[in-house]
Amino acid sequence: MAEHEWDREQVQEVIRSNKDKPGALLPILHGIQDALGYVPPDSVPLIAGALNLSRAEVHGVISFYHYFRSTPPGKRTIYLCRAESCQAMGSAALESHAKDRLNIDYHETTGDGTFSLEPVYCLGNCACSPSIMIGKDVYGRVTADSFDDIIENMQVDAQ
Amino acid sequence: MTTVYISRDSGALSLGAEQVAAALRAEAAKRNIHCNLVRNGSRGMYWLEPLVEVATDRGRIAYGPVRVRDVPSLFEADFLQGGSHPLRLGPTDEIPYFKNQERLTFARVGATDPVSLEDYLTYEGYRGLRRALDMAPSAIVDEVTNSGLRGRGGAAFPTGIKWRTVLNTPSDIKYIVCNADEGDSGTFSDRMIMEGDPFVLIEGMTIAGLAVGAAQGYIYLRVEYPHAHRALTEAIEAAYRSGYLGKDILGSGKRFDLEVRLGAGAYVCGEETSLLESLEGKRGLVRFKPPLPAIEGLFGQPTVINNVISLASVPIILDKGGEYYRDYGMGRSRGTLPIQLAGNIKYPGLIEKAFGVTLREILYDYGGGSASGRPIRAVQVGGPLGAYLPESRFDTPLDYEAFSAIWAVLGHGGVVAFDDTVDMARMARYGMEFCAVESCGKCTPCRIGSTRGVEVIDKIMSGIDREKNLVLLRDLSDTLLNGSLCALGGMTPYPVLSALNHFPEDFGVSAAEKVA
Ligand SMILES: Cc1cc2nc3c(=O)[nH]c(=O)nc-3n(C[C@H](O)[C@H](O)[C@H](O)COP(=O)(O)O)c2cc1C
Ligand code: SF4
Ligand code: FES
């Protein structure tokens, strides 16, 4: 895996401002992922040092949670709901459409680095199933057509 | 100046509420009309979202669902005076879906600006806290016990008894933890409260703090709810500014601090002990009980851990009295339940009713049948660990005991409908797969058994040694039921076996030769 450049100072700042909270590890990991889009594996020693934990403990936490990632995501992450209510409204077909259209599987990023695709188990938008979330925006009653519209509009934005 | 309401609830936003709000502003400016646009919570009638309401002297008049292209014609129809228009629905309060509910916990959701403390106070907010400030801790706990409130997060444990244990456990430090992990499919009432009336949760937690002697609260919120995060943050800041939180609540000398912490996408972190581990900054592994969290919870201290709706129901109980709340409901299920109706349904939404309403009433009187127009074949109640029920069970009243009598659970009150195109063997397979994806890994039946379960169902679906594999599936389910430390593994057999028992034909078994 290629090493990615990341801003050590930014990470140190997140650690500094959170490390005295009780149960600081999750807020620190969120802070780093908010700033960089992922938690760089070589930031683990810094976190472990600051919290007096072993690197294995920190790594164990990162790998336990679905949301934390160790590689940079695409410009936009598409979270597609796979849970029951969305299934009842055709999310399985939407899922195949999304994978075909982006030409990637779950946990992958498009070749041009624009989109990552992640499964999610319910967005709480079940009354408007099927649902997806991109960044912090939720979209309801998504069809293959509206999916294409949404990501085409974004591609324009991303340029 | 006329006030116009359009929701900031993420469901409404997911259907274009932000664009409609922008179009309303632009059109008003173009016409040189001044109106006051308030972003409220959702009334929970999602087929009508984006819903636009206008305050008139005849009450609020509703229009919906409004799309951007409808905006000019609304102004032409003089909707600001409640004018007639094809999208006009009449007074919001008179829409039958809404009118026939019994809204106690959700009384304000959709009515107010969620982050306006002023609105909250106007609509009877903080009356429960004011009363609690004058009561002895034990009397507060008694009030909650008398209300009959049982935890709305799934296990339905009496809230008053839990609080009593924490009150009676001596310690200088105690915690109130709100379980806002709401991971169940088909459930969104926690989200709607947090987005639509965050103060009611803050008030409920503050009262809990007074009741048991805890000065610190945490809301453990799932990361999938960014809009709830924003609303809670704004409301908590407002409560601090006005002395409803902090070191001297309303000059009483009592302290309560509150902080939101984000989860990171693990379903099992909704389980209370796993949630505590996660809050402590660890992997969300389930703890053995005892000790109960009420005795040794967060950071080893006595901790009240309650669901969002449980805590949000406390203010009205303190305001109007335990008896008022207990007068709703049936049997040992007292008060009201926010029922969440989703899946393949014509009128999906949130319906708050006293316990006792039947599944059929919810599905047909409220829900209007399936969205596809085909027959409703199966309904899953209570999230991914809940049973699938066939039509023959639709007359079951929503009541914890009535559901357990038919080997089902009410859980968080989520109802997900499927039409007759559903393949129940696939849903059973999904149930096992979900367990495999979300298992915390502590016990073998759950960690390994769920993966084996997916394989066994695959074989059944492809007709490989069907008889043998059906026996194996039941055996495996038995091990999960009896050998799991928590309900993730322990209840996965509910969706799996209920699918097999009620819909054997989907597994290639004719109803007649149903394996016992
Ligand atoms: C796997 C699993 C997931 C759970 N998820 C939630 C949840 O998201 N929200 C919740 O309030 N309770 C959840 N629960 C139930 C909690 O363990 C606990 O019973 C609840 O937080 C207690 O609060 P209450 O008494 O107010 O319901 C879950 C339980 C299990 C076993
Ligand atoms: S049943 Fe599953 S989720 Fe629950 S404690 Fe065991 S392994 Fe963890
Ligand atoms: S099941 Fe997809 S949003 Fe809830």
Side-chain angles (χ1 to χ4, degrees), chain B residues 446-466:
Chain B
C446 172
R447 185 180 67 241
I448 313 226
S450 51
T451 303
R452 293 290 97 85
V454 174
E455 294 163 4
V456 171
I457 297 175
D458 278 340
K459 287 188 188 143
I460 295 169
M461 287 170 77
S462 359
I464 303 167
D465 291 333
R466 185 170 280 143

Side-chain angles (χ1 to χ4, degrees), chain A residues 22-23 25-26 30 60 64-68 82-85 87-89 121-127 136 138 140-141, chain B residues 11 14 46 185-186 188 191 222 225 227 261-265 278 281-284 299 343 348 380 384 427 430 433 438:
Chain A
L25 184 51
L26 254 62
H30 271 296
F64 181 85
Y65 295 95
H66 301 305
Y67 179 77
F68 295 132
R82 291 196 63 212
E84 288 88 342
S85 173
Q87 288 185 46
M89 291 302 274
Y121 297 88
C122 195
L123 294 164
N125 197 36
C126 329
K136 295 186 174 186
V138 185
R141 294 191 209 131
Chain B
S14 85
Y46 282 102
S185 163
F188 44 88
R191 176 185 66 67
R222 67 198 304 248
Y225 282 181
H227 297 277
R261 286 290 176 92
L262 290 181
S278 183
K282 304 175 198 153
R283 297 155 70 198
F299 303 115
Q380 188 179 33
M427 298 319 296
Y430 174 82
E433 191 191 354
E438 299 294 343

Side-chain angles (χ1 to χ4, degrees), chain B residues 174-296:
Chain B
K174 298 180 183 181
Y175 295 103
I176 308 296
V177 172
C178 171
N179 187 339
D181 201 52
E182 194 171 58
D184 288 358
S185 163
T187 65
F188 44 88
S189 62
D190 296 0
R191 176 185 66 67
M192 284 185 67
I193 279 284
M194 293 185 286
E195 292 180 356
D197 192 15
F199 287 113
V200 81
L201 174 60
I202 298 169
E203 183 182 354
M205 291 183 72
T206 311
I207 295 170
L210 295 176
V212 304
Q216 174 70 48
Y218 289 100
I219 299 173
Y220 183 87
L221 176 67
R222 67 198 304 248
V223 67
E224 292 88 343
Y225 282 181
H227 297 277
H229 189 200
R230 195 178 328 146
L232 283 170
T233 306
E234 288 176 41
I236 289 172
E237 280 168 10
Y240 268 110
R241 272 196 308 272
S242 304
Y244 287 91
L245 283 173
K247 60 180 185 299
D248 183 17
I249 304 164
L250 296 178
S252 64
K254 300 260 168 49
R255 175 179 202 124
F256 193 70
D257 287 301
L258 185 54
E259 191 182 324
V260 181
R261 286 290 176 92
L262 290 181
Y267 178 79
V268 73
C269 288
E271 195 282 335
E272 56 188 16
T273 61
S274 159
L275 187 155
L276 295 176
E277 292 283 305
S278 183
L279 259 183
E280 291 178 6
K282 304 175 198 153
R283 297 155 70 198
L285 296 182
V286 173
R287 294 178 186 167
F288 289 94
K289 285 190 280 197
L292 293 171
I295 294 171
E296 256 178 62

Side-chain angles (χ1 to χ4, degrees), chain A residues 89-112:
Chain A
M89 291 302 274
S91 64
L94 179 64
E95 172 177 84
S96 345
H97 173 82
K99 290 181 182 177
D100 282 354
R101 171 67 219 252
L102 300 169
N103 200 19
I104 49 174
D105 205 336
Y106 283 129
H107 314 300
E108 293 180 357
T109 301
T110 52
D112 64 357

